Amino acid sequence: MSGKNITAKQPAGKSSPFLSELTLDCVILGFHEDQLKVLLLRWRGTQEWSLPGGPIRKEESVDQAACRILKERTGLKDIFLQQFQLFGDVERYNRNEIKEKLKHLVEPEKWFERAVSVGYYALVDYPKVAPTPDAFTEECQWWGIDEIPSLLFDHNHLIKIALESLRIQLSWQPIGYKLLPEQFTLPELQRLYETILGRTLDPRNFQRKMLGLGILYRLETRRKGGAHKAPYLYRFNKQHYKAMLTKGSLFFS
Amino acid sequence: MSGKNITAKQPAGKSSPFLSELTLDCVILGFHEDQLKVLLLRWRGTQEWSLPGGPIRKEESVDQAACRILKERTGLKDIFLQQFQLFGDVERYNRNEIKEKLKHLVEPEKWFERAVSVGYYALVDYPKVAPTPDAFTEECQWWGIDEIPSLLFDHNHLIKIALESLRIQLSWQPIGYKLLPEQFTLPELQRLYETILGRTLDPRNFQRKMLGLGILYRLETRRKGGAHKAPYLYRFNKQHYKAMLTKGSLFFS
């Protein structure tokens, strides 16, 4: 939420520039040092963390609002983002607890009466991100997906559902080339798949399947450093990758 | 929308029992005579059709609202339903055209200022449905998925997106046993898959794959009638089916 968005916490009314019943939350994912990471915000004067998010302007589409918020938090435009679920329970979390924890930042009566939230996941090129807090927060930082603390609101639940959705969409969305750098090794690609699928894959089967799809170019160069024989670098044949995705062929059973 | 819901068209206000910015639409799908069908409503005094849908009560979750509306339109409880997308564009359709077409039913100023809609698809057992219009409509009828007329709002688009979503989720959701009757033949199952995937499948490969998954029981009885040799009836091993779904194993590339 940017500085301007503080006004969105005022009670709903015709005069507010924001929708008053619908907000959005973003699960921004990056891949770094063989680990899937998520971007979290720490609220001012607290040790409380949450996902980035915010209200939707009346004159922008919900997707445009997600792009705007992502740009504010990461500095990036043209991010791959995907709605994954609407969170529409009446009591999504303990509202009184939230009001109490954040009362030094938001007057309790200024919270929305009931906020339905639409969840987006975004896949970003990790080194390109400049994590930036919003008006309510003082720190914006990557957390390893296995190290996430207890978050405000229902945000631990949102992350869980985002990952389940990502797993289903692994065969249908360009997840590999959105999360990996331009050049990568087969072990790095495998590690990404394993992280999302939540299980280990046999390296020989994985390589055979991936190379068999014809979506990878092998480069002449090898990854430098490391104890073992340096593995070759690859990059995606994006045209072929897209063609495979329309058939869902990147499926791993 | 039931009779009571007419009040939801009144301008947003604290006194309304409904959310004023978010509505829902339902793509209710059934399978009958080898054809995928969708339930549509015809608006009173017009030849205009739309999907079922309606507003969300402030004291119910969005999922509960979808269940309520589905029960009102079909008579069924415990329907399999799944959110597939939020439709959040500022101008989802030509509002003036809609206001003009339906002005004998809804006073133009009583439409929501901006309505974001969440789309659900529902899979129902066709013969069990008792199609029932709402307060604004006078006919509720099944339409073959290939015969849908030009619909009100952005509902042709909603159906297209629902089917794309269904295709992706074919490997992950119990689509077969939600749409087929308790007993069915392999050609019927294949026809369902073909309809959703939008392409023909080789019968021998299909049968080998399906039987190989171990999710079907063959019964002793055969389908009666028909010119060819009567095919065997099958039913699902639901426990095994569910186990396969958690791995996404019902995938067809």
Side-chain angles (χ1 to χ4, degrees):
Chain A
M1 288 163 264
S2 74
K4 283 181 183 170
N5 297 0
I6 290 175
T7 57
K9 295 290 178 188
Q10 287 166 359
K14 288 247 174 209
S15 61
S16 167
F18 297 99
L19 297 183
S20 62
E21 295 168 351
L22 185 66
T23 62
L24 65 85
D25 290 298
C26 299
V27 179
I28 304 175
L29 298 165
F31 194 66
H32 181 62
E33 292 181 343
D34 277 1
Q35 208 187 12
L36 196 61
K37 290 176 184 284
V38 62
L39 206 59
L40 298 177
L41 296 169
R42 184 169 58 75
W43 288 61
R44 284 186 187 284
T46 75
Q47 291 302 316
E48 303 285 350
W49 294 80
S50 78
L51 290 170
I56 297 152
R57 291 178 182 278
K58 285 179 180 169
E59 82 279 12
E60 70 186 353
S61 74
V62 181
D63 285 351
Q64 283 167 345
C67 289
R68 173 177 55 75
I69 289 167
L70 280 164
K71 182 159 186 303
E72 288 168 4
R73 298 289 75 70
T74 65
L76 299 180
K77 279 194 287 192
D78 302 323
I79 288 180
F80 176 84
L81 81 153
Q82 179 81 17
Q83 280 179 18
F84 65 91
Q85 190 165 302
L86 186 80
F87 297 86
D89 282 357
V90 178
E91 290 293 335
R92 288 170 45 209
Y93 43 82
N94 187 328
R95 293 174 60 80
N96 288 335
E97 195 179 299
I98 294 286
K99 285 178 181 176
E100 181 62 27
K101 278 183 178 172
L102 303 178
K103 68 182 176 192
H104 62 296
L105 294 170
V106 184
E107 290 171 46
E109 67 277 15
K110 290 201 175 174
W111 289 96
F112 289 159
E113 194 185 340
R114 172 185 169 187
V116 173
S117 176
V118 55
Y120 282 82
Y121 68 77
L123 307 179
V124 299
D125 192 3
Y126 180 92
K128 291 189 182 154
V129 173
T132 309
D134 64 25
F136 292 105
T137 58
E138 56 185 328
E139 192 179 356
C140 183
Q141 194 179 284
W142 290 107
W143 286 72
I145 210 75
D146 298 324
E147 297 153 4
I148 297 168
S150 178
L151 302 177
L152 290 170
F153 315 105
D154 51 356
H155 288 184
N156 292 90
H157 177 62
L158 260 73
I159 293 173
K160 179 172 169 281
I161 303 295
L163 291 175
E164 285 175 13
S165 174
L166 197 64
R167 186 177 145 222
I168 290 179
Q169 303 207 331
L170 194 53
S171 314
W172 301 93
Q173 299 288 2
I175 290 169
Y177 75 67
K178 293 298 175 186
L179 281 173
L180 289 172
E182 192 74 20
Q183 300 180 8
F184 51 86
T185 66
L186 283 178
E188 284 163 3
L189 180 62
Q190 181 177 340
R191 182 72 193 117
L192 173 62
Y193 267 73
E194 288 179 336
T195 302
I196 293 171
L197 293 170
R199 59 193 167 86
T200 55
L201 298 168
D202 177 69
R204 282 173 57 163
N205 283 344
F206 180 81
Q207 297 202 6
R208 193 178 58 234
K209 161 115 190 175
M210 270 295 166
L211 295 175
L213 288 169
I215 62 170
L216 296 173
Y217 286 123
R218 196 177 83 176
L219 306 176
E220 290 308 307
T221 44
R222 295 166 183 262
R223 169 74 74 222
K224 291 190 180 73
H228 298 286
K229 190 184 167 193
Y232 275 107
L233 287 167
Y234 288 81
R235 64 181 175 81
F236 285 114
N237 177 336
K238 293 193 180 180
Q239 210 173 355
H240 209 143
Y241 193 144
K242 279 181 193 163
M244 290 288 116
L245 288 171
T246 62
K247 295 195 291 176
S249 303
L250 303 187
F251 181 75
F252 282 78
S253 64
Chain B
M1 289 162 264
S2 74
K4 282 182 185 171
N5 298 0
I6 290 176
T7 57
K9 295 290 179 190
Q10 287 166 0
K14 290 248 174 209
S15 59
S16 166
F18 297 99
L19 297 183
S20 62
E21 295 168 350
L22 184 68
T23 63
L24 65 85
D25 291 299
C26 299
V27 180
I28 305 175
L29 297 166
F31 194 67
H32 181 62
E33 292 181 344
D34 276 0
Q35 208 186 12
L36 195 62
K37 291 176 184 283
V38 62
L39 206 58
L40 298 177
L41 297 169
R42 184 169 60 75
W43 287 63
R44 283 188 188 283
T46 75
Q47 291 303 316
E48 304 284 349
W49 295 80
S50 79
L51 290 170
I56 297 152
R57 291 178 183 279
K58 285 179 179 171
E59 82 279 12
E60 70 187 351
S61 74
V62 181
D63 285 351
Q64 283 167 344
C67 289
R68 173 176 56 73
I69 290 167
L70 281 164
K71 182 160 186 302
E72 289 169 3
R73 298 287 75 73
T74 64
L76 299 180
K77 280 194 287 192
D78 301 323
I79 288 179
F80 175 83
L81 82 152
Q82 180 81 18
Q83 281 179 18
F84 64 92
Q85 191 165 302
L86 185 80
F87 296 86
D89 282 356
V90 178
E91 289 294 334
R92 287 170 47 209
Y93 42 81
N94 187 329
R95 293 174 60 80
N96 289 335
E97 193 180 301
I98 295 287
K99 285 178 180 176
E100 181 62 28
K101 279 183 177 171
L102 303 178
K103 68 183 177 190
H104 62 296
L105 294 170
V106 183
E107 290 170 47
E109 68 277 12
K110 290 201 173 173
W111 289 95
F112 289 159
E113 193 186 341
R114 172 184 170 187
V116 173
S117 176
V118 55
Y120 282 82
Y121 69 77
L123 307 179
V124 299
D125 193 2
Y126 181 92
K128 290 188 182 155
V129 173
T132 308
D134 64 25
F136 292 104
T137 58
E138 55 185 329
E139 193 179 355
C140 184
Q141 195 180 281
W142 290 106
W143 286 71
I145 209 74
D146 298 323
E147 298 154 3
I148 296 167
S150 177
L151 303 177
L152 291 169
F153 315 105
D154 51 355
H155 288 184
N156 291 90
H157 177 62
L158 260 73
I159 293 173
K160 179 173 169 282
I161 303 295
L163 292 174
E164 286 176 13
S165 174
L166 198 63
R167 186 176 146 223
I168 291 180
Q169 303 207 331
L170 194 53
S171 314
W172 300 92
Q173 298 289 1
I175 290 170
Y177 75 69
K178 293 297 174 183
L179 281 173
L180 289 171
E182 192 76 19
Q183 300 181 10
F184 52 86
T185 67
L186 284 178
E188 285 162 2
L189 181 62
Q190 181 176 339
R191 181 73 193 116
L192 173 62
Y193 266 73
E194 289 179 334
T195 303
I196 294 171
L197 292 170
R199 59 191 167 87
T200 55
L201 298 168
D202 175 71
R204 281 172 60 163
N205 284 344
F206 181 82
Q207 297 201 7
R208 192 179 58 235
K209 164 113 188 176
M210 270 296 168
L211 295 175
L213 288 169
I215 63 170
L216 296 172
Y217 285 125
R218 197 177 84 175
L219 306 176
E220 290 307 308
T221 44
R222 294 167 183 260
R223 169 75 75 223
K224 291 191 180 71
H228 299 285
K229 190 183 168 192
Y232 275 106
L233 287 167
Y234 288 80
R235 64 181 176 80
F236 285 114
N237 176 335
K238 293 194 180 181
Q239 208 172 357
H240 210 143
Y241 194 144
K242 279 181 193 162
M244 290 288 117
L245 288 172
T246 61
K247 294 196 290 175
S249 304
L250 303 187
F251 181 75
F252 281 79
S253 63

